[in-house]
Amino acid sequence: MNASAPSLPSRRQFLTRAGVLVVGFSLAAPVGDLLAASETLVDLGQPSAGELDSWLAITRDNRARVYSGKVELGTGVKTALSQIVADELNLPMANVEIIQGDTERTPNQGYTAGSKTIQFGGAQLRKAAATAHQALIEIAAKQFSVSPAQLVSDRGVIRVKGRRSKQATFGELIGGRHFSRKVDAHAALKNPDDYQIVGKPLPRVEMPQIAVGKFTYVQDVRVPGMLHGRVVRPPDTGAVKIDATVESIDESSVNGIPGFVRVVREGSFVGVVAETEWAAIEASRKLTVRWNSKPSLPDQDELYEALAKSPSDEKVVTNEGNFATALPQAAKSLAAEYRWPFQIHTSIGPSCAVADVRDGRATLWTASQGVYQLRGALADLLGLRPERVHVIFVEGSGCYGHNGADDVAGDAALLSQAVRSPVRVQWTRADEHGWNPKGPAMLMRVKGGLDEKGKVVAWEYQVWTATHVTRPGAIGQARNLLASQLASRMTPTGPMLGGDRNAATPYSFPNKRCVTHWIHTDDAILRPSALRGLGSFANIFANESFVDELAAAAGQDPVQFRLAYLSDPRAINVINAAAKQARWKRRSWSAPKLTADGVHTGRGISYLRYENQNTYVATVAEVEVEPKTGTVRVKRVVVAHDCGLVINPNGLKNQIEGAVLQGISRTLKEELKFNSMGITSLDWMSYPIITFPEVPEVEIVLLNHPHEPAVGAGEPAIAGVSAALSNAVFNATGARIRTGPLTQERVKSALAAKVASVRRTT
Amino acid sequence: MVRLELNVNGRKRAVTAEPRSMLLYVLRNDLALHGPRFGCGLGQCGACTVLMDGAAARSCVIPVSAGVGRSIVTLEGLGTLEHPHAIQKGFIDEQAAQCGYCTNGMIMTAKAFLDENPHPTDEEIRQALAKNLCGCGTHLRILRAVKRAAKEMA
Ligand code: FES
Ligand code: FES
């Protein structure tokens, strides 16, 4: 920094001057050369969402630096957000740089979760960019003594129309100053018809680095003087209530490990710290800890009974007409129970964090989805004021919701505080499988009635679920970090959220009811939280399977049956687009002749509108089923997808493909195993996921609506997969499998029973 | 701790390590090679794959002492940002990553495979990568990337 630097308070000064943070943004004085071509633009401290300078700066060399509270989780949002900003500013993509998730640099945009990054985060950035563009035009108008209407901007240059000599780059116009103005909620936005960058299938900005091994993940962060830590876990792996206590620790068991530093213990939190990673691994393996523990979980076989019996709070989601009187009057009535097990985040890289907790301050490098929320939890854990905790996001392995990223930061923070040195904690595979929060198991009971013509006259949907959100910062602070749960014997907490996602039917059935039974978090069995799609995954499985059951009972084509109860043109379009792409043939239902031999083929469809108000998805799956082995081979999946304005069609397709493959994996393979002590699926052998030979063709139809708001795309497509597959299995075999996942074993026994019953009736 | 000499990416590198410690940690922590990644430490996912004398090897389960006297190549040794290897280029051109955490294993496994079988069928590529896991569901793009690279290299 040069001589003018002292006029601008440092970030630290801002932070310590509590209550005057906003002052930083009203600094009217030009900071001049501070923002010189060196590009060392000084960040303005604790960002305030209303201030344009918190979002965006233009450097002298005509680059836009964007401060994004939303972070890259492997979904391509960094690229998409750059496109939005570049287009709105009329600046080349290459001139946009994104600073992500940093509690001293970026605004608090909440979690990067729930498919809300483009929908909300993108909209915020777009407004900021539009405000900045307007400001630049005003500056240019003054400089050239013309009216704004006489100016045009293109690729980072503003010029006077028809006067080639009168032009300046954005960087020259702003001249290294801050904008010092508020984000204008009414700033004129570019007409989507004029987009040049938004809507283009531009490559991911990180891809070259990833391919050559030069991309930095949180697992790669190294800081001077850093030690390595590991946590030694109690036997009640993954339980929502951790009962185990330490009886004794035999520290002599780790004697002689070269580079070993010490054992750290707080309550049931036991960790080891060493100079090298290998020594930490060896110490964690060798340390002899005697635990007091007793089995306290239900047996896996009793899972669904346990869910139905758990203490819960009932909440009526919808109640239209009168289900109770309508059902008995129906000509035909059906009832079914669907079950979905606990599932994990299949992040290939276990969570990792580096913490430096010394002298009353903490710095954390983490792949957390919410740096501000994690900051609150860590401050609580460490007994520091939040402004003394600096949380910096660094990309991690793909996270499909609330995996171990926050927890490992808590582990590293506790260990670092104990040894007064920076500590890196790399979770093991067993840590991630066993201890990250799980997508909760769910139980769904559905009833429906048809009249003589096969029209639906009654519908009831009930779901038993724990909350899907126990993130730090949601309600609990430190208690939602695993380290606190171990150290202080606390249980996680959260608002009742996510379990009712897509529980209510989107169809215009009369006499319909939807009820959620919220299982108390302490009774959730395994620690619950957000996994891609949250409750929509199991809810769409049950809803869309049962609609299929009703269509079959009515002897109607599943596509036509659904269309009969929809009036929203975008819903109808998405179903028709999927059916057309899949060359769907209208059918009236008749049970296939199932034999024990051979291969049976079938197709199934599902429809959803995510959260009943966002993205529209229709999915058609084609399967081959082999009764002898129980194998379900997915041959082809077609997805029609309407998320409004498409920012980057290639990035969007990448997300949808990923959602489909992960959806297949969860539908056919993934089931977390546990016994009365804790989770037993602790590696990829005991929790297998989809592999290359099992991957089908995926065809995607994008329905782009440039004048509609861009809504989320990370989650919606996964929710449609399970029902499309189970409906296809039904179409192929006549067997309705209502418990997920549709493993070989489960399919095999269901089909054997079906073959036996077919034999009996013929 | 003992002093060992390794041959990594064509250079001799001296390291001090526990002979029983796994090669992956030495590559990542002592030699600052972050191409190979820690995924499971159990030989189950492939994230840590390197080439040893041209064959794909899971460095999380290979003691560093077993690497002595062998030629070890990591993702960094295949190509650079300026001059990516044809397989790396295939991945870039096909945008074959979401989080990219599995990418190292995919590229290194594909390298050993294509060296053995330069004209593979689609099915052979699937089988070659059958034991490499991707949690993001990027499989289709990875298959296209390897196929593209095979064509490029043939
Ligand atoms: S990290 Fe080596 S195979 Fe998974
Ligand atoms: S791209 Fe994330 S694990 Fe493969």
Side-chain angles (χ1 to χ4, degrees):
Chain A
M1 278 188 223
N2 64 36
S4 61
S7 66
L8 192 75
S10 74
R11 270 181 284 150
R12 281 275 145 77
Q13 284 172 310
F14 270 103
L15 294 173
T16 47
R17 282 197 235 148
V20 298
L21 302 178
V22 181
V23 173
F25 300 98
S26 51
L27 276 180
V31 280
D33 288 337
L34 201 59
L35 314 180
S38 69
E39 279 196 66
T40 49
L41 188 75
V42 167
D43 304 316
L44 278 181
Q46 184 79 13
S48 153
E51 298 296 328
L52 177 55
D53 296 320
S54 299
W55 296 96
L56 199 139
I58 302 280
T59 59
R60 271 183 193 275
D61 61 350
N62 214 25
R63 300 174 62 77
R65 181 173 296 170
V66 177
Y67 302 94
S68 170
K70 298 287 189 186
V71 297
E72 178 61 70
L73 304 171
T75 61
V77 298
K78 195 172 179 180
T79 308
L81 293 174
S82 302
Q83 284 178 265
I84 291 172
V85 171
D87 215 332
E88 202 62 45
L89 275 174
N90 285 339
L91 189 69
M93 258 291 265
N95 292 25
V96 177
E97 171 198 2
I98 298 221
I99 312 280
Q100 308 185 79
D102 182 324
T103 55
E104 293 192 0
R105 303 178 81 184
T106 63
N108 182 357
Q109 290 181 279
Y111 295 109
T112 301
S115 297
K116 295 290 175 278
T117 298
I118 301 299
Q119 187 172 349
F120 295 131
Q124 284 171 307
L125 282 181
R126 187 179 175 205
K127 282 242 164 67
T131 307
H133 187 260
Q134 196 169 287
L136 291 163
I137 291 277
E138 285 167 21
I139 295 168
K142 230 185 231 156
Q143 187 160 323
F144 297 132
S145 310
V146 296
S147 76
Q150 288 170 272
L151 296 168
V152 283
S153 73
D154 182 34
R155 276 167 289 176
V157 175
I158 295 180
R159 57 184 166 77
V160 180
K161 280 183 210 161
R163 309 256 309 267
R164 285 225 149 262
S165 58
K166 287 207 167 183
Q167 62 171 47
T169 66
F170 294 173
E172 288 161 356
L173 288 167
I174 191 76
R177 286 165 305 190
H178 293 297
F179 283 103
S180 305
R181 60 163 74 192
K182 304 269 179 208
V183 175
D184 178 0
H186 307 291
L189 298 172
K190 198 169 182 178
N191 183 335
D193 294 337
D194 299 332
Y195 281 147
Q196 291 173 1
I197 302 171
V198 166
K200 292 261 152 49
L202 298 182
R204 285 271 302 278
V205 291
E206 313 84 351
M207 195 59 227
Q209 280 78 8
I210 289 174
V212 302
K214 290 280 175 248
F215 187 71
T216 300
Y217 294 88
V218 70
Q219 285 88 350
D220 303 326
V221 172
R222 302 288 183 274
V223 305
M226 187 185 85
L227 303 173
H228 293 266
R230 288 288 188 280
V231 180
V232 179
R233 310 276 175 194
D236 32 9
T237 311
V240 69
K241 266 188 291 194
I242 300 163
D243 287 327
T245 53
V246 174
E247 189 176 299
S248 64
I249 299 178
D250 176 7
E251 296 206 19
S252 70
S253 55
V254 289
N255 278 350
I257 295 177
F260 179 71
V261 175
R262 63 173 273 207
V263 174
V264 176
R265 182 193 154 187
E266 230 183 291
S268 298
F269 178 90
V270 179
V272 291
V273 180
E275 283 164 13
T276 66
E277 187 166 15
W278 187 252
I281 292 170
E282 288 239 285
S284 68
R285 285 181 187 155
K286 286 193 178 152
L287 186 72
T288 309
V289 183
R290 286 171 65 99
W291 298 96
N292 282 316
S293 62
K294 55 177 187 333
S296 61
L297 303 183
D299 229 52
Q300 182 143 26
D301 298 342
E302 296 154 16
L303 169 60
Y304 299 102
E305 271 163 63
L307 293 184
K309 280 195 302 216
S310 292
S312 62
D313 297 330
E314 188 178 300
K315 193 175 159 233
V316 177
V317 182
T318 47
N319 193 5
E320 291 169 27
N322 193 330
F323 170 77
T325 55
L327 188 71
Q329 289 164 23
K332 205 182 230 179
S333 68
L334 271 66
E337 178 174 300
Y338 298 88
R339 303 157 158 202
W340 206 263
F342 286 102
Q343 294 186 319
I344 69 164
H345 301 268
T346 57
S347 310
I348 292 301
S351 298
C352 183
V354 177
D356 186 356
V357 185
R358 275 182 292 186
D359 310 325
R361 295 195 162 279
T363 307
L364 267 292
W365 290 266
T366 164
S368 171
Q369 290 174 275
V371 287
Y372 281 94
Q373 290 69 25
L374 176 60
R375 182 178 73 163
L378 288 170
D380 193 13
L381 177 74
L382 297 169
L384 295 174
R385 291 211 315 276
E387 59 273 20
R388 298 185 78 84
V389 180
H390 181 190
V391 181
I392 303 165
F393 172 82
V394 187
E395 280 90 341
S397 171
C399 101
Y400 317 105
H402 181 188
N403 68 357
D406 292 312
D407 292 325
V408 74
D411 294 348
L414 271 192
L415 293 178
S416 173
Q417 191 175 41
V419 300
R420 294 199 189 88
S421 299
V423 174
R424 171 181 183 267
V425 176
Q426 166 69 68
W427 270 20
T428 64
R429 176 44 50 202
D431 280 334
E432 195 70 45
H433 266 66
W435 292 93
N436 77 25
K438 302 300 177 284
M442 286 164 61
L443 174 71
M444 288 73 57
R445 290 184 180 150
V446 202
K447 289 181 185 156
L450 299 167
D451 68 11
E452 312 75 40
K453 295 203 197 83
K455 277 191 80 68
V456 179
V457 291
W459 171 277
E460 184 191 61
Y461 187 92
Q462 299 198 64
V463 52
W464 282 257
T465 177
T467 181
H468 290 240
V469 181
T470 65
R471 294 178 184 276
I475 281 186
Q477 291 292 309
R479 69 183 292 185
N480 281 357
L481 292 174
L482 183 57
S484 294
Q485 290 159 23
L486 289 165
S488 314
R489 295 172 60 73
M490 293 196 281
T491 53
T493 181
M496 292 299 164
L497 277 179
D500 56 358
R501 187 168 291 179
N502 285 99
T505 180
Y507 299 107
S508 61
F509 301 145
N511 305 310
K512 57 184 172 186
R513 233 167 88 77
C514 175
V515 179
T516 312
H517 304 266
W518 290 104
I519 295 169
H520 299 166
T521 308
D522 276 2
D523 297 299
I525 305 174
L526 304 177
R527 184 179 170 216
S529 202
L531 175 61
R532 198 173 191 177
L534 284 68
S536 72
F537 194 90
N539 283 328
I540 293 295
F541 173 64
N543 264 298
E544 283 296 297
S545 293
F546 197 71
V547 166
D548 221 62
E549 298 205 37
L550 288 177
Q556 292 178 27
D557 174 66
V559 170
Q560 297 308 318
F561 190 80
R562 284 169 170 81
L563 290 175
Y565 300 96
L566 292 168
S567 54
D568 179 346
R570 288 172 73 182
I572 294 168
N573 281 346
V574 84
I575 292 179
N576 283 332
K580 181 165 171 235
Q581 177 71 23
R583 298 210 176 80
W584 183 272
K585 284 194 200 66
R586 225 182 245 231
R587 65 184 187 226
S588 56
W589 173 253
S590 62
K593 296 212 180 343
L594 186 67
T595 54
D597 297 317
V599 173
H600 301 258
T601 60
R603 306 172 119 194
I605 185 163
S606 73
Y607 159 77
L608 67 110
R609 185 172 182 196
Y610 197 57
E611 299 168 292
N612 285 338
Q613 57 178 1
N614 291 310
T615 297
Y616 301 80
V617 185
T619 310
V620 175
E622 292 178 13
V623 300
E624 283 179 5
V625 187
E626 215 176 67
K628 206 172 230 155
T629 58
T631 307
V632 175
R633 268 188 296 272
V634 187
K635 303 305 287 180
R636 178 178 178 225
V637 176
V638 173
V639 177
H641 194 274
D642 170 1
C643 56
L645 165 72
V646 174
I647 308 293
N648 182 328
N650 190 31
L652 176 57
K653 283 187 174 169
N654 201 353
Q655 278 306 289
I656 297 171
E657 285 167 21
V660 168
L661 300 191
Q662 209 176 51
I664 293 172
S665 187
R666 286 175 68 182
T667 303
L668 300 185
K669 306 186 78 162
E670 298 183 27
E671 179 167 28
L672 192 72
K673 299 279 168 52
F674 59 93
N675 60 25
S676 58
M677 200 62 233
I679 292 167
T680 55
S681 302
L682 296 174
D683 64 8
W684 296 119
M685 295 300 178
S686 47
Y687 191 91
I689 60 171
I690 192 167
T691 62
F692 279 93
E694 297 162 315
V695 168
E697 293 308 316
V698 178
E699 292 167 31
I700 296 164
V701 184
L702 299 182
L703 302 171
N704 187 12
H705 293 279
H707 290 274
E708 295 288 342
V711 288
E715 296 170 330
I718 200 171
V721 176
S722 53
L725 288 177
S726 87
N727 292 342
V729 170
F730 176 70
N731 177 232
T733 65
R736 176 64 66 182
I737 301 172
R738 301 186 182 91
T739 302
L742 282 65
T743 54
Q744 263 186 308
E745 217 177 305
R746 206 167 264 136
V747 172
K748 191 175 161 181
S749 70
L751 296 186
K754 187 82 196 167
V755 170
S757 78
V758 169
R759 267 200 213 112
R760 274 200 304 278
T761 56
T762 50
Chain B
M1 300 278 245
V2 296
R3 245 179 94 79
L4 300 167
E5 196 178 81
L6 297 174
N7 176 346
V8 183
N9 296 333
R11 285 174 56 199
K12 295 221 180 319
R13 308 290 299 262
V15 295
T16 306
E18 278 290 296
R20 285 170 307 134
S21 67
M22 298 304 160
L23 176 62
L24 175 66
Y25 301 101
V26 174
L27 294 174
R28 288 182 52 78
N29 296 337
D30 298 281
L31 302 181
L33 292 166
H34 293 165
R37 318 211 59 80
F38 171 74
C40 64
L42 306 164
Q44 295 176 350
C45 74
C48 62
T49 305
V50 299
L51 300 179
M52 284 179 79
D53 295 338
R58 300 200 161 178
S59 66
C60 72
V61 286
I62 295 175
V64 61
S65 52
V68 175
R70 318 271 298 267
S71 151
I72 298 164
V73 176
T74 70
L75 186 61
E76 291 92 337
L78 280 198
T80 60
L81 278 177
E82 297 72 35
H83 302 287
H85 183 274
I87 302 177
Q88 292 169 319
K89 205 170 160 303
F91 274 69
I92 296 169
D93 292 344
E94 291 293 342
Q95 292 289 296
Q98 289 181 57
C99 75
Y101 204 90
C102 66
T103 309
N104 167 71
M106 301 297 174
I107 293 178
M108 299 312 281
T109 307
K111 168 78 170 91
F113 167 66
L114 291 180
D115 285 348
E116 287 281 310
N117 183 353
H119 306 285
T121 63
D122 290 2
E123 190 49 34
E124 285 168 338
I125 301 175
R126 284 173 183 255
Q127 290 304 332
L129 296 174
K131 292 197 163 63
N132 283 68
L133 300 179
C134 170
C136 296
T138 317
H139 304 69
L140 288 162
R141 286 164 185 253
I142 294 169
L143 292 170
R144 290 201 288 271
V146 176
K147 207 167 146 183
R148 181 190 272 249
K151 279 208 193 102
E152 178 86 1
M153 290 159 71

